[in-house]
Amino acid sequence: MKKFKDREQIYLGKIRERTKELQCMYEVARIITSSQRLPEIFSEVANAVPMGWQYPKKCCCRIFVDQQSYHSANFKESSNRLQSNILVKTERRGWIEVHAPAKISFLKEEQDLLDGISRTLSSVISSDYEKKYLNAQLLHADRLSTIGQLAAGVTHELSEPLANILGFSQLLLKNPELTPSIHADLKKIEKASLYARDIIRKLMTFARSNPGQMNAVSLNDVVHEALFLFESRCAKENITLCLQLAHESELPLIVANSGQIKQVLINLVVNAIQAMPNGGTLIISTNNATTTSATFVSLVVKDSGTGMSKEVLDKIFLPFFTTKDVTEGTGLGLAVVYGIINSHKGKIKVESSVGVGTIFEILFPLQSKR
Ligand SMILES: Nc1ncnc2c1ncn2[C@@H]1O[C@H](COP(=O)(O)OP(=O)(O)OP(=O)(O)O)[C@@H](O)[C@H]1O
Ligand SMILES: [Mg+2]
């Protein structure tokens, strides 16, 4: 029992650390995409960095870039420090440091986190320095992949203890001598851990770079299979559903995990339906697009719903970002879409205009022809 408790404490400690790191990365991502000038970004990042460390109140941060330095509010120099270089196209443009009192030892994960932050700062400086302001769109992919790496660490740490909670509660539920109230409590534990497992699975899909089992897939078949579930719901909600599918003979097969592509379509369609509470038109189309440089197959989901502001659009692929009520959304639908399309080496384009509607276009690189 003691051993079990000790292990539990270790798990909890690790989970706490990974969560802090994730929050720190979120905060850095938020600051970077807030479109301020670079000096303000560096000052705010220096203030935010300590929150990701084991002892946030005892740690402080300093960033040097192009002979300028930026400190966190509580900065106190120490010889006990972690450092990571800010490299722009192999040129060292500066570095970022975290200082702590001598007694404190740093974790390996903290060095990884600092390296992640310095890489993010490098991309801030490199791509957009000349323009003085950030182009949030360019950074989006970098930011998401960093958050993906951190999410993978967090979910990995959470899966095992959660499997224990679920397994033991299900084992206890088999006991015929339970009182009704204990039985009811155990059922609640089981339900809550199944919910948490679902969230973890979605986060894993967001972070995963491997799509799993791949086959030759017809996008039109995926559309038919997925939409079968939505026909009556659309009719009930006064939504006209239009399919504009490319002719089978003109639509090359893609190499994909068909279950995951179906999941992508379902998530996009659910969002589109939720964006049209007073009805509207939902158009799903497939196309074979060939440009001089590449051939790809596209899947387009277009709605005439509420549309999104630029602020919302900038954040839609972030895990847990939602504008919906807690009962309606967890903010993981598009994070899952992003993870799946990324692992298929595809691209996602989004156009949206408030009051007019939204178009999601997914491009699959072509690997085989009929
Ligand atoms: N078609 C759309 N029209 C308008 N807003 C959209 C559309 N698709 C996504 N959004 C916006 O993007 C946010 C994130 O979408 P996402 O699917 O990731 O999460 P969610 O729908 O809120 O929750 P979940 O999918 O986990 O149930 C939504 O809350 C909504 O604000
Ligand atoms: Mg959704």
Side-chain angles (χ1 to χ4, degrees), residues 86-302:
I86 300 175
L87 300 172
V88 177
K89 296 187 186 112
T90 70
E91 183 198 349
R92 185 179 187 237
R93 290 283 284 269
W95 61 92
I96 175 167
E97 303 166 337
V98 171
H99 293 231
K103 298 186 288 285
I104 289 180
S105 49
F106 292 110
L107 304 173
K108 179 191 166 296
E109 287 82 357
E110 291 173 338
Q111 180 68 54
D112 293 344
L113 178 63
L114 198 63
D115 291 341
I117 295 170
S118 69
R119 273 197 302 276
T120 310
L121 293 180
S122 304
S123 59
V124 172
I125 300 169
S126 72
S127 53
D128 298 320
Y129 195 67
E130 291 73 22
K131 294 181 206 159
K132 291 208 180 82
Y133 296 101
L134 285 174
N135 176 345
Q137 210 56 33
L138 264 182
L139 277 168
H140 212 188
D142 257 12
R143 176 176 56 148
L144 286 172
S145 83
T146 316
I147 291 174
Q149 285 164 20
L150 287 161
V154 176
T155 48
H156 181 75
E157 301 286 353
L158 286 173
S159 314
E160 203 182 324
L162 192 62
N164 280 336
I165 299 171
L166 185 59
F168 281 111
S169 60
Q170 287 175 334
L171 198 68
L172 287 169
L173 276 167
K174 290 198 174 131
N175 184 342
E177 287 158 25
L178 293 178
T179 64
S181 93
I182 293 181
H183 191 274
D185 288 348
L186 280 170
K187 273 280 177 206
K188 280 185 205 150
I189 296 176
E190 186 193 29
K191 191 172 162 205
S193 33
L194 282 170
Y195 177 72
R197 190 176 70 176
D198 185 45
I199 301 241
I200 285 183
R201 284 193 175 156
K202 287 181 179 169
L203 265 179
M204 280 176 158
T205 313
F206 167 70
R208 196 182 297 139
S209 57
N210 171 6
Q213 177 76 41
M214 306 267 267
N215 291 307
V217 175
S218 152
L219 263 190
N220 284 359
D221 289 351
V222 175
V223 171
H224 285 303
E225 281 167 32
L227 287 190
F228 169 71
L229 307 164
F230 291 102
E231 278 163 5
S232 64
R233 178 163 169 196
C234 284
K236 230 185 278 162
E237 303 199 17
N238 213 11
I239 293 170
T240 312
L241 182 58
C242 300
L243 294 192
Q244 298 175 349
L245 305 185
H247 196 276
E248 279 293 314
S249 61
E250 283 160 18
L251 192 70
L253 299 176
I254 55 167
V255 176
N257 180 319
S258 68
Q260 292 188 357
I261 304 304
K262 199 155 128 188
Q263 189 61 55
V264 164
L265 188 58
I266 290 173
N267 291 2
L268 294 178
V269 168
V270 169
N271 281 346
I273 293 176
Q274 288 173 333
M276 297 187 283
N278 303 318
T281 307
L282 173 59
I283 303 174
I284 318 272
S285 55
T286 54
N287 300 288
N288 173 13
T290 307
T291 64
T292 44
S293 56
T295 306
F296 44 81
V297 172
S298 72
L299 171 68
V300 178
V301 177
K302 180 175 176 188

Side-chain angles (χ1 to χ4, degrees), residues 302-322:
K302 180 175 176 188
D303 68 61
S304 61
T306 53
M308 288 173 261
S309 65
K310 184 172 177 316
E311 289 69 39
V312 169
L313 206 53
D314 278 346
K315 302 191 195 88
I316 54 174
F317 296 110
L318 285 174
F320 301 115
F321 172 77
T322 182

